[in-house]
Amino acid sequence: MTDLIITSLFLCLLLSSIFILANFPYKSSKEKIPRACKKIGRERHSSKEIWASVKHSISGVLWHRRLGKQSPTIGVVESLYVHPIKSCRAVEVEETEVLNTGFKHDRQYTFAEFRELPEGGTVSPASQAGGWHFVTQRKYGKLANIQVEVWVPDPDSLDYAPGEPNVQSDGILLVRYPTLEQRTSKHEMQKSFELPFHPTEGQIMNQGYTMQKMTIWKDCPNSLLITSTNRADSPPWIKDIQAYIGCSKPFALFRVATGHDRQVFRNAPRKEQLGHQSVVGFADAYPLHILGLASVEDLDRRLTHVVPPVSTSTASRFRANIYFRGPPAYAEDSWKRIAIGQYMYYVSCRTTRCELPNTDQSTGKKHLSEPSKTIRSYRDIDPGAGAGKACMGMQMVPAAERGIIKVGDTIEILETGDHCYILQ
């Protein structure tokens, strides 16, 4: 009888364990861990979990109650995001290094498509036809389903050594992507590949990376071509991703090339003021994007009765680097200079919004019109942006060429004033 009870208990435990493991999003023990590295970032399991945490943050509420009107400290950094491959899924981090280009791991890679030059045409830096052109979710919403992990050198790793390739390249990006044969789910083991975060000259030569012009907006910087579907020896993943997002043109992956950052002018502080030239990698226009959660929540309330409904909170759709809590909605509109933690930032201008926020960042599916339609109905506020151009969030330039930002850093307002957007 005792043996029967023990056996029954064992079977119950075994079945329970199988059920738990079958329903838990774990990584296979056979999965290769990048040598000499550790993964950075904050694990999240769903978009609902991410933004429920943000919207109902206890720390944010406490700060809001605690900070009086006379205090120079008006808010706190709630969450931080990097986007290692432009328009692919964001990575949430607890802290990050801030360079003059923005967050260290932000928008250093981008996918691109090749556009044929019209007959008799010529290529120029501002050309909209001919050569490689960056692509985003504006055209290919499924880029949102390409997940990127950031792995950095780990001196405590048993594999760590100065000569280890992953150490020399300052870590790697582990990229996971679905294919046309797969349906995305949190339990699915997707295909993956690795990229050196900052390839060395030796790695560039050994891997056959080449320098080519790549158009991003009106700039055409020399960029590092990692691979393309035009190459006979291209890896399978580039054609897989090309097919998955529905790109019919030649398709490629580029990295920002050392020494070929794009200079930032327009609303940015000048070199004489900063002591150095403001630059970006593959960000659209400015190094950093900051957005208040109170502003997002105000928009979400306005979207309550939209048909068809917007499936998730809009916060992730704006793909900002810094989300903060404390001030009322749209307080950031008048900021000119702020301090976050120990470092100062110039708040250069408002962020004009395109249709990209209509893409659900957890599925890659586009809403027919929202939230863009609602934003335009009440946020057409900047005289320089042009009629019908809604604004949400602010663009920033770090004052220092190198710094650190952390979740929980306080925000102080150093200067306020009017903004007038300058078009490209």
Side-chain angles (χ1 to χ4, degrees), residues 53-64 78 325:
S53 172
V54 170
K55 290 182 72 175
H56 302 290
S57 166
I58 294 175
S59 64
V61 172
L62 291 177
W63 270 100
H64 183 70
E78 185 78 20
R325 187 176 290 284

Side-chain angles (χ1 to χ4, degrees), residues 51 54 291 293 296 300 312-320 323:
W51 297 114
V54 170
L291 179 59
L293 287 169
V296 174
D300 287 346
T312 59
S313 167
T314 56
S316 62
R317 295 168 180 252
F318 294 104
R319 298 179 63 81
Y323 293 91

Side-chain angles (χ1 to χ4, degrees), residues 40-42 44 50 54 78-82 90-94:
I40 65 170
R42 191 173 177 182
R44 299 284 193 174
I50 293 173
V54 170
E78 185 78 20
S79 52
L80 300 168
Y81 288 86
V82 296
V91 179
E92 185 179 6
V93 295
E94 292 287 344

Side-chain angles (χ1 to χ4, degrees), residues 275-291:
H276 59 272
Q277 176 61 49
S278 179
V279 292
V280 292
F282 290 148
D284 279 349
Y286 294 87
L288 293 167
H289 180 204
I290 187 170
L291 179 59

Side-chain angles (χ1 to χ4, degrees), residues 86-276:
K86 189 176 180 69
S87 254
C88 294
R89 190 161 298 179
V91 179
E92 185 179 6
V93 295
E94 292 287 344
E95 66 176 79
T96 183
E97 190 173 354
V98 185
L99 308 178
N100 59 345
T101 55
F103 288 177
K104 178 177 178 178
H105 293 94
D106 194 56
R107 296 171 171 95
Q108 292 298 295
Y109 279 86
T110 187
F111 288 107
E113 64 183 11
F114 192 87
R115 300 179 187 173
E116 296 293 341
L117 186 67
E119 187 175 350
T122 59
V123 177
S124 71
S127 174
Q128 293 303 303
W132 291 108
H133 287 249
F134 82 115
V135 297
T136 70
Q137 291 180 33
R138 296 172 180 88
K139 185 174 183 180
Y140 301 112
K142 286 185 176 180
L143 285 169
N145 293 329
I146 298 175
Q147 302 174 28
V148 186
E149 296 176 4
V150 180
W151 291 75
V152 299
D154 179 14
D156 295 328
S157 169
L158 296 177
D159 301 321
Y160 185 88
E164 170 65 39
N166 290 349
V167 175
Q168 292 184 329
S169 63
D170 201 14
I172 67 149
L173 303 181
L174 178 59
V175 185
R176 303 181 189 279
Y177 65 95
T179 67
L180 290 175
E181 293 77 30
Q182 296 175 318
R183 291 185 178 180
T184 306
S185 75
K186 65 182 179 181
H187 303 294
E188 186 178 70
M189 298 300 291
Q190 299 177 323
K191 291 186 177 181
S192 65
F193 61 95
E194 295 181 6
L195 296 168
F197 173 65
H198 195 161
T200 64
E201 290 186 9
Q203 290 169 340
I204 291 171
M205 184 177 298
N206 292 337
Q207 295 296 323
Y209 302 159
T210 59
M211 291 285 283
Q212 291 200 25
K213 295 284 188 181
M214 193 276 300
T215 299
I216 176 167
W217 299 116
K218 292 185 177 181
D219 296 325
C220 196
N222 282 317
S223 304
L224 196 61
L225 175 62
I226 303 301
T227 191
S228 77
T229 55
N230 287 343
R231 286 179 50 166
D233 62 345
S234 63
W237 55 261
I238 191 68
K239 293 181 179 178
D240 286 347
I241 295 175
Q242 176 195 35
Y244 173 71
I245 67 171
C247 177
S248 59
K249 297 180 174 65
F251 192 64
L253 179 67
F254 282 86
R255 193 200 186 281
V256 174
T258 302
H260 294 276
D261 295 316
R262 296 150 54 220
Q263 295 186 344
V264 180
F265 297 102
R266 297 198 288 161
N267 293 97
R270 295 297 179 256
K271 182 177 181 180
E272 295 74 22
Q273 186 177 5
L274 278 176
H276 59 272

